[in-house]
Amino acid sequence: MEIFLQDIDATLEFGRILGSVLKDGDVVCLTGDLGTGKTSLSKGICMELGVDESEVTSPTFAIMNVYDGTLMQIRHFDLYRINRAEELYDIGFDEYVGGDGITLIEWAELFPDELPEEYLTVTITREQEGRRATLTAVGNRYLERIQEACKKC
């Protein structure tokens, strides 16, 4: 699935659509260059799951933020500043990913061998004045999530 995101509002709204189809234990990997809207998309997902918009920030320096939404907990990772896979184990990455709630992983492409067997990837690229989001399913459960999201777009 591909969708053109004209501006920040469209990115937030698409995040809300994704948030509405995600289920407990889902993992969403967000990839794209700096400034393409990964955190904005994460913000939309979190808002749909009951997190106040002002609480959602980029975890670039914290590595992981945890948000307690009214519907479920969201763990939001940013792997940009991680240099080695061993550092992921130091922060308990494998214990959090895919557990209760939703896991969002920005810069997931930096550590493909550390990802779970199944996940949804959202790749955001610049296109003209906006962005293009491409969804790729790794595993059947995520094919279902994409189909559900398509119905709402």
Side-chain angles (χ1 to χ4, degrees), residues 6-119:
Q6 183 174 347
D7 54 25
I8 187 79
D9 291 333
T11 303
L12 289 170
E13 180 57 28
F14 184 60
R16 291 188 80 112
I17 289 169
L18 282 179
S20 74
V21 303
L22 294 174
K23 307 281 190 258
D24 196 33
D26 280 353
V27 177
V28 180
C29 298
L30 304 160
T31 67
D33 291 337
L34 284 169
T36 54
K38 296 180 294 293
T39 300
S40 295
L41 188 68
S42 296
K43 186 176 284 196
I45 291 169
C46 291
M47 289 166 51
E48 185 64 24
L49 297 173
V51 178
D52 186 271
E53 179 179 6
S54 65
E55 289 183 39
V56 183
T57 60
S58 174
T60 299
F61 294 101
I63 309 299
M64 180 182 76
N65 291 337
V66 177
Y67 311 113
D68 289 317
T70 57
L71 299 177
M72 66 183 75
Q73 186 180 77
I74 302 99
R75 291 162 311 283
H76 184 192
F77 286 91
D78 185 324
L79 306 184
Y80 186 73
R81 299 201 181 279
I82 300 288
N83 296 310
R84 300 178 336 272
E86 293 78 22
E87 292 177 65
L88 294 174
Y89 295 107
D90 292 344
I91 62 168
F93 181 79
D94 56 330
E95 295 172 24
Y96 289 107
V97 173
D100 292 341
I102 303 298
T103 305
L104 306 175
I105 308 171
E106 295 188 33
W107 298 97
E109 72 274 20
L110 297 177
F111 296 95
D113 293 339
E114 307 309 317
L115 299 177
E117 288 183 25
E118 295 187 338
Y119 53 89

